[in-house]
Amino acid sequence: MIPFSKYQGTGNDFVLIDNRELHISLTTEQIAFMCHRRFGIGADGLMLLEKATGFDFRMVYFNSDGNESTMCGNGGRCITAFARDLGIITGHAHFIAIDGAHEATVLSDGDIALHMNNVQDVQHFADHAILNTGSPHYVEWVEDVAAVDVFERGKHIRYDAAFAPGGTNVNFVQRDGTMLKVRTYERGVEDETYSCGTGVTAAAIAASGNATGAFSTDIATPGGKLNVSFIKDSAASATGVVLTGPARHVFSGHISLG
Ligand SMILES: N[C@H](CCC[C@H](N)C(=O)O)C(=O)O
């Protein structure tokens, strides 16, 4: 039996395993089973929290298809909450993930502010933008995000030859005053998720267009509200990128993989 905890950040949900002493390695099939919403625990992804010299912990992220993937923003907040609940940290985490080192702060209201890596090479086009915020994102501007067939249109772009072989996550973004409304088709989940942390980060940076300076953008997702703040040094680059939002423990338990 393997102990796990379930966390969610604006409805993007994850299985978390404290692997510091367990030292388990899971197969693609085992991870996909644990994430399965009928036969398993049910989640968009799974994370292993591991020891890492010079850091509070290492974050190893897998999508629900069972494959290891790139940075997960909602997951970064959730693993920070997990580390707090395990007593590894109190108010601040310094951890290592696939895209490098991250800092995270537990705020007084329980939300978590996650420092994302700097973003370069933002590509702006008439109806979309392409950028990498720790994971690859396609950001499309739409008039009414509620009317978008996110599954069909997202799948079509995600598998477009232009993004082969790795594919991309796909975000549909509606400007609503100073806010953004975002819905996301996630690579490796192969469906719409309730929110995507690296996705809303991409949407906020893309929405700043060619402007430079300091930005703080509120984003509404089907799973709740997030904030992304950053400094644009040029049309194509951002630093000081911080994704702030909730990270909630849902339940803990044990699962048999036998
Ligand atoms: N599905 C993404 C990784 C997780 C991203 C998302 N859950 C987030 O919060 O950033 C990918 O394979 O690129």
Side-chain angles (χ1 to χ4, degrees):
M1 301 288 274
I2 295 175
F4 70 86
S5 288
K6 181 83 191 288
Y7 283 73
Q8 62 84 12
T10 47
N12 200 198
D13 60 342
F14 309 99
V15 174
L16 284 108
I17 295 171
D18 178 1
N19 206 27
R20 291 175 298 164
E21 306 306 332
L22 276 178
H23 302 297
I24 56 168
S25 63
L26 298 165
T27 65
T28 301
E29 293 73 23
Q30 288 174 326
I31 293 168
F33 161 70
M34 294 171 84
C35 291
H36 197 285
R37 296 202 180 276
R38 294 288 185 276
F39 298 114
I41 301 160
D44 292 330
L46 180 145
M47 287 176 276
L48 301 177
L49 185 151
E50 303 193 334
K51 286 179 182 171
T53 305
F55 297 92
D56 295 312
F57 56 86
R58 177 183 305 279
M59 164 183 169
V60 185
Y61 179 81
F62 302 84
N63 282 315
S64 56
D65 65 2
N67 295 313
E68 185 173 355
S69 193
T70 48
M71 184 55 188
C72 178
N74 288 323
R77 298 198 318 277
C78 286
I79 201 168
T80 297
F82 185 45
R84 176 202 58 206
D85 298 344
L86 289 171
I88 298 171
I89 64 157
T90 47
H92 184 266
H94 174 56
F95 67 91
I96 186 78
I98 194 167
D99 67 339
H102 290 267
E103 307 286 336
T105 303
V106 181
L107 304 178
S108 55
D109 63 0
D111 277 4
I112 292 176
L114 173 67
H115 290 249
M116 309 293 282
N117 281 346
N118 293 341
V119 175
Q120 279 96 22
D121 308 325
V122 180
Q123 300 174 64
H124 296 282
F125 303 89
D127 67 342
H128 70 282
I130 295 171
L131 60 163
N132 189 303
T133 53
S135 285
H137 285 279
Y138 183 101
V139 174
E140 182 169 307
W141 311 116
V142 297
E143 288 301 314
D144 177 4
V145 74
V148 176
D149 183 344
V150 171
F151 179 76
E152 289 302 333
R153 286 182 60 189
K155 186 171 60 172
H156 180 75
I157 298 166
R158 177 260 186 270
Y159 284 105
D160 190 298
F163 303 110
T168 183
N169 300 282
V170 185
N171 305 272
F172 300 97
V173 184
Q174 174 185 343
R175 297 171 191 270
D176 181 12
T178 58
M179 278 188 68
L180 300 177
K181 291 180 177 175
V182 180
R183 293 174 65 194
T184 304
Y185 176 100
E186 265 199 55
R187 173 184 73 164
V189 179
E190 303 311 340
D191 202 347
E192 179 177 3
T193 55
Y194 273 32
S195 74
C196 176
T198 52
V200 299
T201 301
I205 292 171
S208 68
N210 294 322
T212 58
F215 293 81
S216 175
T217 306
D218 289 330
I219 301 105
T221 73
K225 289 198 186 320
L226 291 163
N227 177 274
V228 178
S229 59
F230 53 94
I231 295 167
K232 282 285 290 311
D233 315 308
S234 72
S237 62
T239 57
V241 185
V242 182
L243 168 66
T244 301
R248 300 275 189 274
H249 177 243
V250 184
F251 65 92
S252 295
H254 292 77
I255 186 166
S256 167
L257 296 181

